[in-house]
Amino acid sequence: MEAVVARENMRAALARVEANRGAPGVDGMPVEALRWYLREHWPRIKAALLAGEYRPAPVRRVAIPKPGGGVRELGIPTVRERLIQQAVHQVLQPLFEPHFSEHSYGFRVGRSAHQAVVAAQQIVAEGHRWVVDLDLEKFFDRVNHDVLMARVARRVTDRRVLKLIRRYLQAGVMAEGLVSARTEGTPQGGPLSPLLSNILLDDLDQELERRGHRFCRYADDCNLYVRTRAAGERVMNSIRRFLERRLRLKVNEAKSAVDRPWNRKFLGYSLTWHTRPRLRIAKESVARLKREVRERLRRGRGQSLQAAVDNLSPLLRGWSNYFRLAEVKGVFEDLDQWLRRRLRCLLWRQWKRSYARARKLMQRGLDRQRAWQSATNGRGPWWNAGASHMNQADPKRSFDRIGLVSLLDQQRRPQATI
């Protein structure tokens, strides 16, 4: 605990919390007010931590929609609790990190989802062409506190730190003004949760290594690779029993399966069926991007074309950067065409009347007769957005001029190695 509250450790934690920003917790305090708060209250907080008497505030429950449907419940700690959790994280991480598995990639310094995807591709290329796709049911909500604390106590002996972590696990959850107690789970949203998840699931990693399995794990997303379906079924059953008995975790039967890797997705990617499989973007990832684009354009109806493009640019750049490993490029070209059509549809809706549509088409270079025929064709916005008159009026170069991110052009640029 002395290392946790040390001046340099707390300075580093404060800088990290301020950089991450984030929403206020139950007390409503913004990140910007944290330094002023600490000037008055830090001596009291520090004394309580060193005495083992500190009691965390409840977290604020926030529900966000999941990409595949349903909602994910986050627990937003106050900025004060985020600071203390970050300080604890900085002390515990070096204790556990050297002992984590080489096949674990989530929430670790110097490791990434891209590395996990490339590792999975290599395993399949070596002949392990069946995957045991494990999905843990409501993992962060089902973590057993006693099981988790037993694993933390393997390397942490300071009872004050252990007591503090357990109090964070048991801190109440506030929703609609009422605080409810928590008897299991580790709320997503705090700096400690990712490390605690790796500490718990390291037992799974060690068991898989002991059995000689080839696998990749990113947080609670774990794929094991075997040579036959029969082997996959045996592994699925045995690992299910291990998780239930040893870690008190449950496999989501609806989302888990033994299948070919090209029929499943891993961290948004999938594979082709070739002997040397190529990385491709999973269909679900493409559908998710389209949903997000539609929603942003729907929320921004009435905005100018330039405003719509500016709104989409951060999303498209981030998406393109994450999927830069994809070796099947056709999907980027298809998405570029779809995006331009969505924006042409936006224009067609905004022009509204036939006269305005004909005038706009003529301004964009169409002759008078064709502009009027197109403007009065009686077809809907989506049909017109894909028709030749709109493609001629607003070709790709016109979208390039106003800064629309081309997913295909982004992929053609030189990328840094992983």
mmCIF file of all heavy atoms in Angstrom, residues 138-181:
data_model
loop_
_atom_site.group_PDB
_atom_site.id
_atom_site.type_symbol
_atom_site.label_atom_id
_atom_site.label_comp_id
_atom_site.label_asym_id
_atom_site.label_seq_id
_atom_site.Cartn_x
_atom_site.Cartn_y
_atom_site.Cartn_z
ATOM 1 N N LYS A 138 -21.780 -13.692 -19.830
ATOM 2 C CA LYS A 138 -21.766 -12.535 -18.926
ATOM 3 C C LYS A 138 -20.561 -12.577 -17.993
ATOM 4 O O LYS A 138 -20.685 -12.490 -16.775
ATOM 5 C CB LYS A 138 -23.055 -12.486 -18.111
ATOM 6 C CG LYS A 138 -24.301 -12.294 -18.958
ATOM 7 C CD LYS A 138 -25.546 -12.199 -18.099
ATOM 8 C CE LYS A 138 -26.794 -11.969 -18.950
ATOM 9 N NZ LYS A 138 -28.020 -11.891 -18.133
ATOM 10 N N PHE A 139 -19.365 -12.700 -18.604
ATOM 11 C CA PHE A 139 -18.153 -12.923 -17.821
ATOM 12 C C PHE A 139 -17.976 -11.903 -16.705
ATOM 13 O O PHE A 139 -17.810 -12.253 -15.535
ATOM 14 C CB PHE A 139 -16.932 -12.907 -18.741
ATOM 15 C CG PHE A 139 -15.617 -12.894 -18.002
ATOM 16 C CD1 PHE A 139 -15.186 -14.025 -17.340
ATOM 17 C CD2 PHE A 139 -14.848 -11.744 -17.945
ATOM 18 C CE1 PHE A 139 -13.985 -14.008 -16.637
ATOM 19 C CE2 PHE A 139 -13.654 -11.726 -17.255
ATOM 20 C CZ PHE A 139 -13.226 -12.858 -16.606
ATOM 21 N N PHE A 140 -17.990 -10.611 -17.041
ATOM 22 C CA PHE A 140 -17.707 -9.592 -16.025
ATOM 23 C C PHE A 140 -18.788 -9.525 -14.950
ATOM 24 O O PHE A 140 -18.545 -9.027 -13.858
ATOM 25 C CB PHE A 140 -17.534 -8.232 -16.696
ATOM 26 C CG PHE A 140 -16.218 -8.079 -17.415
ATOM 27 C CD1 PHE A 140 -16.120 -8.360 -18.769
ATOM 28 C CD2 PHE A 140 -15.086 -7.694 -16.734
ATOM 29 C CE1 PHE A 140 -14.910 -8.228 -19.434
ATOM 30 C CE2 PHE A 140 -13.867 -7.570 -17.384
ATOM 31 C CZ PHE A 140 -13.786 -7.837 -18.737
ATOM 32 N N ASP A 141 -19.977 -10.030 -15.257
ATOM 33 C CA ASP A 141 -21.054 -10.025 -14.262
ATOM 34 C C ASP A 141 -21.053 -11.278 -13.391
ATOM 35 O O ASP A 141 -21.733 -11.310 -12.367
ATOM 36 C CB ASP A 141 -22.415 -9.920 -14.957
ATOM 37 C CG ASP A 141 -22.584 -8.606 -15.698
ATOM 38 O OD1 ASP A 141 -21.990 -7.609 -15.258
ATOM 39 O OD2 ASP A 141 -23.281 -8.580 -16.730
ATOM 40 N N ARG A 142 -20.317 -12.326 -13.821
ATOM 41 C CA ARG A 142 -20.384 -13.615 -13.127
ATOM 42 C C ARG A 142 -19.124 -13.972 -12.351
ATOM 43 O O ARG A 142 -19.045 -15.060 -11.790
ATOM 44 C CB ARG A 142 -20.664 -14.721 -14.162
ATOM 45 C CG ARG A 142 -22.036 -14.584 -14.855
ATOM 46 C CD ARG A 142 -23.146 -15.052 -13.944
ATOM 47 N NE ARG A 142 -24.463 -14.863 -14.541
ATOM 48 C CZ ARG A 142 -25.051 -15.709 -15.373
ATOM 49 N NH1 ARG A 142 -24.398 -16.811 -15.731
ATOM 50 N NH2 ARG A 142 -26.239 -15.462 -15.853
ATOM 51 N N VAL A 143 -18.141 -13.111 -12.338
ATOM 52 C CA VAL A 143 -16.890 -13.426 -11.637
ATOM 53 C C VAL A 143 -17.172 -13.669 -10.159
ATOM 54 O O VAL A 143 -17.790 -12.842 -9.488
ATOM 55 C CB VAL A 143 -15.871 -12.280 -11.803
ATOM 56 C CG1 VAL A 143 -14.679 -12.477 -10.877
ATOM 57 C CG2 VAL A 143 -15.415 -12.180 -13.252
ATOM 58 N N ASN A 144 -16.711 -14.817 -9.673
ATOM 59 C CA ASN A 144 -16.864 -15.152 -8.264
ATOM 60 C C ASN A 144 -15.779 -14.441 -7.451
ATOM 61 O O ASN A 144 -14.586 -14.610 -7.714
ATOM 62 C CB ASN A 144 -16.762 -16.675 -8.074
ATOM 63 C CG ASN A 144 -16.962 -17.091 -6.641
ATOM 64 O OD1 ASN A 144 -16.066 -16.962 -5.814
ATOM 65 N ND2 ASN A 144 -18.151 -17.599 -6.336
ATOM 66 N N HIS A 145 -16.187 -13.648 -6.477
ATOM 67 C CA HIS A 145 -15.234 -12.835 -5.726
ATOM 68 C C HIS A 145 -14.215 -13.683 -4.964
ATOM 69 O O HIS A 145 -13.025 -13.342 -4.926
ATOM 70 C CB HIS A 145 -15.975 -11.919 -4.752
ATOM 71 C CG HIS A 145 -16.776 -10.859 -5.444
ATOM 72 N ND1 HIS A 145 -17.647 -10.017 -4.763
ATOM 73 C CD2 HIS A 145 -16.840 -10.488 -6.748
ATOM 74 C CE1 HIS A 145 -18.206 -9.189 -5.634
ATOM 75 N NE2 HIS A 145 -17.745 -9.464 -6.827
ATOM 76 N N ASP A 146 -14.655 -14.763 -4.352
ATOM 77 C CA ASP A 146 -13.729 -15.592 -3.573
ATOM 78 C C ASP A 146 -12.689 -16.253 -4.476
ATOM 79 O O ASP A 146 -11.499 -16.315 -4.124
ATOM 80 C CB ASP A 146 -14.501 -16.663 -2.799
ATOM 81 C CG ASP A 146 -15.362 -16.067 -1.692
ATOM 82 O OD1 ASP A 146 -15.008 -14.974 -1.208
ATOM 83 O OD2 ASP A 146 -16.370 -16.688 -1.332
ATOM 84 N N VAL A 147 -13.137 -16.740 -5.627
ATOM 85 C CA VAL A 147 -12.214 -17.379 -6.569
ATOM 86 C C VAL A 147 -11.190 -16.358 -7.064
ATOM 87 O O VAL A 147 -9.985 -16.632 -7.120
ATOM 88 C CB VAL A 147 -12.993 -17.993 -7.757
ATOM 89 C CG1 VAL A 147 -12.035 -18.497 -8.829
ATOM 90 C CG2 VAL A 147 -13.882 -19.128 -7.272
ATOM 91 N N LEU A 148 -11.657 -15.172 -7.414
ATOM 92 C CA LEU A 148 -10.747 -14.137 -7.914
ATOM 93 C C LEU A 148 -9.764 -13.700 -6.837
ATOM 94 O O LEU A 148 -8.548 -13.613 -7.093
ATOM 95 C CB LEU A 148 -11.560 -12.934 -8.407
ATOM 96 C CG LEU A 148 -10.760 -11.688 -8.806
ATOM 97 C CD1 LEU A 148 -9.740 -12.004 -9.884
ATOM 98 C CD2 LEU A 148 -11.705 -10.572 -9.260
ATOM 99 N N MET A 149 -10.241 -13.436 -5.636
ATOM 100 C CA MET A 149 -9.358 -12.954 -4.575
ATOM 101 C C MET A 149 -8.322 -13.996 -4.193
ATOM 102 O O MET A 149 -7.195 -13.653 -3.808
ATOM 103 C CB MET A 149 -10.181 -12.535 -3.354
ATOM 104 C CG MET A 149 -11.031 -11.285 -3.553
ATOM 105 S SD MET A 149 -10.089 -9.862 -4.168
ATOM 106 C CE MET A 149 -8.823 -9.687 -2.921
ATOM 107 N N ALA A 150 -8.664 -15.273 -4.289
ATOM 108 C CA ALA A 150 -7.682 -16.328 -4.002
ATOM 109 C C ALA A 150 -6.523 -16.255 -4.985
ATOM 110 O O ALA A 150 -5.363 -16.493 -4.618
ATOM 111 C CB ALA A 150 -8.356 -17.696 -4.070
ATOM 112 N N ARG A 151 -6.811 -15.904 -6.251
ATOM 113 C CA ARG A 151 -5.745 -15.799 -7.249
ATOM 114 C C ARG A 151 -4.936 -14.518 -7.077
ATOM 115 O O ARG A 151 -3.724 -14.521 -7.285
ATOM 116 C CB ARG A 151 -6.341 -15.878 -8.651
ATOM 117 C CG ARG A 151 -6.510 -17.325 -9.097
ATOM 118 C CD ARG A 151 -7.934 -17.669 -9.464
ATOM 119 N NE ARG A 151 -8.071 -19.117 -9.656
ATOM 120 C CZ ARG A 151 -8.559 -19.952 -8.749
ATOM 121 N NH1 ARG A 151 -8.943 -19.497 -7.561
ATOM 122 N NH2 ARG A 151 -8.655 -21.239 -8.986
ATOM 123 N N VAL A 152 -5.589 -13.426 -6.663
ATOM 124 C CA VAL A 152 -4.850 -12.198 -6.388
ATOM 125 C C VAL A 152 -3.909 -12.412 -5.213
ATOM 126 O O VAL A 152 -2.750 -11.950 -5.219
ATOM 127 C CB VAL A 152 -5.817 -11.035 -6.104
ATOM 128 C CG1 VAL A 152 -5.049 -9.772 -5.705
ATOM 129 C CG2 VAL A 152 -6.690 -10.748 -7.328
ATOM 130 N N ALA A 153 -4.361 -13.140 -4.204
ATOM 131 C CA ALA A 153 -3.572 -13.345 -2.981
ATOM 132 C C ALA A 153 -2.355 -14.229 -3.212
ATOM 133 O O ALA A 153 -1.481 -14.311 -2.336
ATOM 134 C CB ALA A 153 -4.455 -13.960 -1.893
ATOM 135 N N ARG A 154 -2.260 -14.882 -4.372
ATOM 136 C CA ARG A 154 -1.068 -15.683 -4.650
ATOM 137 C C ARG A 154 0.183 -14.813 -4.729
ATOM 138 O O ARG A 154 1.284 -15.271 -4.438
ATOM 139 C CB ARG A 154 -1.242 -16.445 -5.965
ATOM 140 C CG ARG A 154 -2.269 -17.566 -5.915
ATOM 141 C CD ARG A 154 -2.520 -18.110 -7.317
ATOM 142 N NE ARG A 154 -3.513 -19.189 -7.317
ATOM 143 C CZ ARG A 154 -4.015 -19.731 -8.420
ATOM 144 N NH1 ARG A 154 -3.615 -19.296 -9.623
ATOM 145 N NH2 ARG A 154 -4.906 -20.697 -8.345
ATOM 146 N N ARG A 155 0.014 -13.560 -5.169
ATOM 147 C CA ARG A 155 1.186 -12.689 -5.345
ATOM 148 C C ARG A 155 1.094 -11.394 -4.537
ATOM 149 O O ARG A 155 2.042 -10.616 -4.517
ATOM 150 C CB ARG A 155 1.377 -12.357 -6.827
ATOM 151 C CG ARG A 155 1.547 -13.597 -7.670
ATOM 152 C CD ARG A 155 2.021 -13.299 -9.084
ATOM 153 N NE ARG A 155 2.030 -14.534 -9.850
ATOM 154 C CZ ARG A 155 2.979 -15.455 -9.806
ATOM 155 N NH1 ARG A 155 4.021 -15.259 -9.011
ATOM 156 N NH2 ARG A 155 2.910 -16.552 -10.523
ATOM 157 N N VAL A 156 -0.040 -11.133 -3.908
ATOM 158 C CA VAL A 156 -0.211 -9.934 -3.096
ATOM 159 C C VAL A 156 -0.437 -10.363 -1.656
ATOM 160 O O VAL A 156 -1.390 -11.088 -1.357
ATOM 161 C CB VAL A 156 -1.414 -9.100 -3.589
ATOM 162 C CG1 VAL A 156 -1.610 -7.880 -2.692
ATOM 163 C CG2 VAL A 156 -1.202 -8.663 -5.032
ATOM 164 N N THR A 157 0.441 -9.920 -0.777
ATOM 165 C CA THR A 157 0.336 -10.342 0.623
ATOM 166 C C THR A 157 -0.141 -9.218 1.536
ATOM 167 O O THR A 157 -0.509 -9.477 2.684
ATOM 168 C CB THR A 157 1.707 -10.839 1.135
ATOM 169 O OG1 THR A 157 2.683 -9.807 0.938
ATOM 170 C CG2 THR A 157 2.138 -12.085 0.368
ATOM 171 N N ASP A 158 -0.122 -7.985 1.064
ATOM 172 C CA ASP A 158 -0.559 -6.857 1.886
ATOM 173 C C ASP A 158 -2.071 -6.937 2.073
ATOM 174 O O ASP A 158 -2.841 -6.764 1.130
ATOM 175 C CB ASP A 158 -0.170 -5.537 1.202
ATOM 176 C CG ASP A 158 -0.347 -4.334 2.122
ATOM 177 O OD1 ASP A 158 -1.278 -4.355 2.949
ATOM 178 O OD2 ASP A 158 0.430 -3.370 2.008
ATOM 179 N N ARG A 159 -2.494 -7.163 3.302
ATOM 180 C CA ARG A 159 -3.919 -7.335 3.573
ATOM 181 C C ARG A 159 -4.723 -6.068 3.281
ATOM 182 O O ARG A 159 -5.901 -6.140 2.944
ATOM 183 C CB ARG A 159 -4.129 -7.761 5.037
ATOM 184 C CG ARG A 159 -3.627 -9.167 5.336
ATOM 185 C CD ARG A 159 -3.959 -9.578 6.757
ATOM 186 N NE ARG A 159 -3.536 -10.948 7.012
ATOM 187 C CZ ARG A 159 -4.255 -12.027 6.706
ATOM 188 N NH1 ARG A 159 -5.450 -11.867 6.155
ATOM 189 N NH2 ARG A 159 -3.808 -13.232 6.965
ATOM 190 N N ARG A 160 -4.091 -4.916 3.390
ATOM 191 C CA ARG A 160 -4.804 -3.671 3.099
ATOM 192 C C ARG A 160 -5.169 -3.592 1.616
ATOM 193 O O ARG A 160 -6.263 -3.146 1.258
ATOM 194 C CB ARG A 160 -3.945 -2.475 3.499
ATOM 195 C CG ARG A 160 -3.632 -2.393 4.989
ATOM 196 C CD ARG A 160 -2.536 -1.385 5.261
ATOM 197 N NE ARG A 160 -1.293 -1.766 4.613
ATOM 198 C CZ ARG A 160 -0.170 -1.064 4.654
ATOM 199 N NH1 ARG A 160 -0.142 0.099 5.313
ATOM 200 N NH2 ARG A 160 0.925 -1.478 4.049
ATOM 201 N N VAL A 161 -4.259 -4.028 0.762
ATOM 202 C CA VAL A 161 -4.523 -4.015 -0.684
ATOM 203 C C VAL A 161 -5.598 -5.039 -1.022
ATOM 204 O O VAL A 161 -6.522 -4.765 -1.802
ATOM 205 C CB VAL A 161 -3.230 -4.284 -1.475
ATOM 206 C CG1 VAL A 161 -3.528 -4.401 -2.974
ATOM 207 C CG2 VAL A 161 -2.211 -3.184 -1.224
ATOM 208 N N LEU A 162 -5.498 -6.224 -0.436
ATOM 209 C CA LEU A 162 -6.507 -7.260 -0.694
ATOM 210 C C LEU A 162 -7.892 -6.799 -0.233
ATOM 211 O O LEU A 162 -8.892 -7.013 -0.927
ATOM 212 C CB LEU A 162 -6.112 -8.558 0.020
ATOM 213 C CG LEU A 162 -4.839 -9.241 -0.485
ATOM 214 C CD1 LEU A 162 -4.482 -10.419 0.414
ATOM 215 C CD2 LEU A 162 -5.008 -9.703 -1.921
ATOM 216 N N LYS A 163 -7.928 -6.163 0.933
ATOM 217 C CA LYS A 163 -9.210 -5.673 1.453
ATOM 218 C C LYS A 163 -9.776 -4.587 0.546
ATOM 219 O O LYS A 163 -10.984 -4.546 0.281
ATOM 220 C CB LYS A 163 -9.008 -5.138 2.873
ATOM 221 C CG LYS A 163 -10.311 -4.793 3.592
ATOM 222 C CD LYS A 163 -10.024 -4.168 4.955
ATOM 223 C CE LYS A 163 -9.290 -5.146 5.866
ATOM 224 N NZ LYS A 163 -9.085 -4.553 7.215
ATOM 225 N N LEU A 164 -8.889 -3.720 0.041
ATOM 226 C CA LEU A 164 -9.336 -2.639 -0.828
ATOM 227 C C LEU A 164 -9.916 -3.196 -2.136
ATOM 228 O O LEU A 164 -10.974 -2.749 -2.599
ATOM 229 C CB LEU A 164 -8.174 -1.692 -1.134
ATOM 230 C CG LEU A 164 -8.480 -0.533 -2.086
ATOM 231 C CD1 LEU A 164 -9.517 0.402 -1.480
ATOM 232 C CD2 LEU A 164 -7.197 0.229 -2.437
ATOM 233 N N ILE A 165 -9.241 -4.187 -2.721
ATOM 234 C CA ILE A 165 -9.734 -4.772 -3.977
ATOM 235 C C ILE A 165 -11.086 -5.435 -3.759
ATOM 236 O O ILE A 165 -12.002 -5.297 -4.577
ATOM 237 C CB ILE A 165 -8.704 -5.779 -4.528
ATOM 238 C CG1 ILE A 165 -7.417 -5.051 -4.935
ATOM 239 C CG2 ILE A 165 -9.281 -6.544 -5.723
ATOM 240 C CD1 ILE A 165 -6.291 -5.978 -5.343
ATOM 241 N N ARG A 166 -11.223 -6.162 -2.667
ATOM 242 C CA ARG A 166 -12.519 -6.798 -2.399
ATOM 243 C C ARG A 166 -13.613 -5.756 -2.198
ATOM 244 O O ARG A 166 -14.744 -5.942 -2.649
ATOM 245 C CB ARG A 166 -12.432 -7.719 -1.174
ATOM 246 C CG ARG A 166 -13.722 -8.490 -0.926
ATOM 247 C CD ARG A 166 -13.588 -9.440 0.244
ATOM 248 N NE ARG A 166 -12.893 -10.666 -0.096
ATOM 249 C CZ ARG A 166 -13.469 -11.743 -0.639
ATOM 250 N NH1 ARG A 166 -14.763 -11.720 -0.931
ATOM 251 N NH2 ARG A 166 -12.762 -12.818 -0.879
ATOM 252 N N ARG A 167 -13.294 -4.671 -1.564
ATOM 253 C CA ARG A 167 -14.294 -3.617 -1.388
ATOM 254 C C ARG A 167 -14.692 -3.007 -2.723
ATOM 255 O O ARG A 167 -15.849 -2.624 -2.920
ATOM 256 C CB ARG A 167 -13.768 -2.549 -0.423
ATOM 257 C CG ARG A 167 -13.803 -2.997 1.036
ATOM 258 C CD ARG A 167 -13.149 -1.979 1.948
ATOM 259 N NE ARG A 167 -13.261 -2.392 3.353
ATOM 260 C CZ ARG A 167 -12.602 -1.833 4.353
ATOM 261 N NH1 ARG A 167 -11.776 -0.815 4.102
ATOM 262 N NH2 ARG A 167 -12.764 -2.258 5.591
ATOM 263 N N TYR A 168 -13.725 -2.894 -3.622
ATOM 264 C CA TYR A 168 -14.082 -2.414 -4.961
ATOM 265 C C TYR A 168 -15.006 -3.401 -5.666
ATOM 266 O O TYR A 168 -15.948 -3.008 -6.352
ATOM 267 C CB TYR A 168 -12.822 -2.172 -5.798
ATOM 268 C CG TYR A 168 -12.242 -0.790 -5.612
ATOM 269 C CD1 TYR A 168 -10.927 -0.610 -5.190
ATOM 270 C CD2 TYR A 168 -13.017 0.340 -5.868
ATOM 271 C CE1 TYR A 168 -10.398 0.660 -5.016
ATOM 272 C CE2 TYR A 168 -12.505 1.609 -5.689
ATOM 273 C CZ TYR A 168 -11.190 1.760 -5.260
ATOM 274 O OH TYR A 168 -10.693 3.027 -5.085
ATOM 275 N N LEU A 169 -14.739 -4.682 -5.493
ATOM 276 C CA LEU A 169 -15.604 -5.691 -6.110
ATOM 277 C C LEU A 169 -17.016 -5.639 -5.528
ATOM 278 O O LEU A 169 -18.005 -5.858 -6.234
ATOM 279 C CB LEU A 169 -15.008 -7.089 -5.895
ATOM 280 C CG LEU A 169 -13.702 -7.403 -6.620
ATOM 281 C CD1 LEU A 169 -13.173 -8.763 -6.180
ATOM 282 C CD2 LEU A 169 -13.885 -7.370 -8.127
ATOM 283 N N GLN A 170 -17.099 -5.340 -4.241
ATOM 284 C CA GLN A 170 -18.395 -5.367 -3.568
ATOM 285 C C GLN A 170 -19.064 -3.992 -3.487
ATOM 286 O O GLN A 170 -20.166 -3.885 -2.933
ATOM 287 C CB GLN A 170 -18.216 -5.923 -2.150
ATOM 288 C CG GLN A 170 -17.752 -7.371 -2.130
ATOM 289 C CD GLN A 170 -17.470 -7.879 -0.725
ATOM 290 O OE1 GLN A 170 -17.219 -7.091 0.188
ATOM 291 N NE2 GLN A 170 -17.501 -9.191 -0.556
ATOM 292 N N ALA A 171 -18.410 -2.967 -4.047
ATOM 293 C CA ALA A 171 -19.000 -1.626 -4.006
ATOM 294 C C ALA A 171 -20.368 -1.654 -4.673
ATOM 295 O O ALA A 171 -20.580 -2.303 -5.695
ATOM 296 C CB ALA A 171 -18.092 -0.624 -4.716
ATOM 297 N N GLY A 172 -21.306 -0.962 -4.099
ATOM 298 C CA GLY A 172 -22.668 -0.971 -4.616
ATOM 299 C C GLY A 172 -22.762 -0.366 -6.009
ATOM 300 O O GLY A 172 -21.849 0.308 -6.489
ATOM 301 N N VAL A 173 -23.893 -0.622 -6.639
ATOM 302 C CA VAL A 173 -24.174 -0.079 -7.965
ATOM 303 C C VAL A 173 -25.391 0.828 -7.852
ATOM 304 O O VAL A 173 -26.446 0.405 -7.365
ATOM 305 C CB VAL A 173 -24.445 -1.207 -8.982
ATOM 306 C CG1 VAL A 173 -24.774 -0.623 -10.350
ATOM 307 C CG2 VAL A 173 -23.249 -2.144 -9.068
ATOM 308 N N MET A 174 -25.246 2.077 -8.301
ATOM 309 C CA MET A 174 -26.355 3.024 -8.221
ATOM 310 C C MET A 174 -27.063 3.103 -9.567
ATOM 311 O O MET A 174 -26.436 3.323 -10.601
ATOM 312 C CB MET A 174 -25.867 4.412 -7.814
ATOM 313 C CG MET A 174 -26.996 5.449 -7.757
ATOM 314 S SD MET A 174 -26.466 7.055 -7.135
ATOM 315 C CE MET A 174 -26.305 6.701 -5.379
ATOM 316 N N ALA A 175 -28.375 2.900 -9.543
ATOM 317 C CA ALA A 175 -29.206 3.034 -10.737
ATOM 318 C C ALA A 175 -30.507 3.688 -10.321
ATOM 319 O O ALA A 175 -31.165 3.233 -9.374
ATOM 320 C CB ALA A 175 -29.464 1.673 -11.375
ATOM 321 N N GLU A 176 -30.866 4.774 -10.987
ATOM 322 C CA GLU A 176 -32.095 5.515 -10.701
ATOM 323 C C GLU A 176 -32.172 5.943 -9.243
ATOM 324 O O GLU A 176 -33.225 5.883 -8.606
ATOM 325 C CB GLU A 176 -33.316 4.681 -11.088
ATOM 326 C CG GLU A 176 -33.355 4.323 -12.571
ATOM 327 C CD GLU A 176 -34.556 3.477 -12.932
ATOM 328 O OE1 GLU A 176 -35.305 3.086 -12.002
ATOM 329 O OE2 GLU A 176 -34.743 3.204 -14.120
ATOM 330 N N GLY A 177 -31.018 6.314 -8.696
ATOM 331 C CA GLY A 177 -30.981 6.852 -7.344
ATOM 332 C C GLY A 177 -30.911 5.820 -6.238
ATOM 333 O O GLY A 177 -30.791 6.183 -5.068
ATOM 334 N N LEU A 178 -30.983 4.524 -6.589
ATOM 335 C CA LEU A 178 -30.934 3.469 -5.574
ATOM 336 C C LEU A 178 -29.633 2.685 -5.695
ATOM 337 O O LEU A 178 -29.186 2.378 -6.798
ATOM 338 C CB LEU A 178 -32.122 2.517 -5.740
ATOM 339 C CG LEU A 178 -33.518 3.149 -5.567
ATOM 340 C CD1 LEU A 178 -34.592 2.107 -5.854
ATOM 341 C CD2 LEU A 178 -33.679 3.733 -4.165
ATOM 342 N N VAL A 179 -29.049 2.346 -4.538
ATOM 343 C CA VAL A 179 -27.799 1.590 -4.506
ATOM 344 C C VAL A 179 -28.107 0.142 -4.164
ATOM 345 O O VAL A 179 -28.772 -0.146 -3.155
ATOM 346 C CB VAL A 179 -26.814 2.169 -3.472
ATOM 347 C CG1 VAL A 179 -25.556 1.309 -3.410
ATOM 348 C CG2 VAL A 179 -26.462 3.608 -3.825
ATOM 349 N N SER A 180 -27.657 -0.782 -5.018
ATOM 350 C CA SER A 180 -27.840 -2.207 -4.758
ATOM 351 C C SER A 180 -26.482 -2.850 -4.511
ATOM 352 O O SER A 180 -25.473 -2.457 -5.105
ATOM 353 C CB SER A 180 -28.538 -2.889 -5.947
ATOM 354 O OG SER A 180 -27.817 -2.686 -7.136
ATOM 355 N N ALA A 181 -26.455 -3.823 -3.617
ATOM 356 C CA ALA A 181 -25.207 -4.504 -3.277
ATOM 357 C C ALA A 181 -24.777 -5.417 -4.415
ATOM 358 O O ALA A 181 -25.589 -5.896 -5.202
ATOM 359 C CB ALA A 181 -25.393 -5.319 -1.998
#
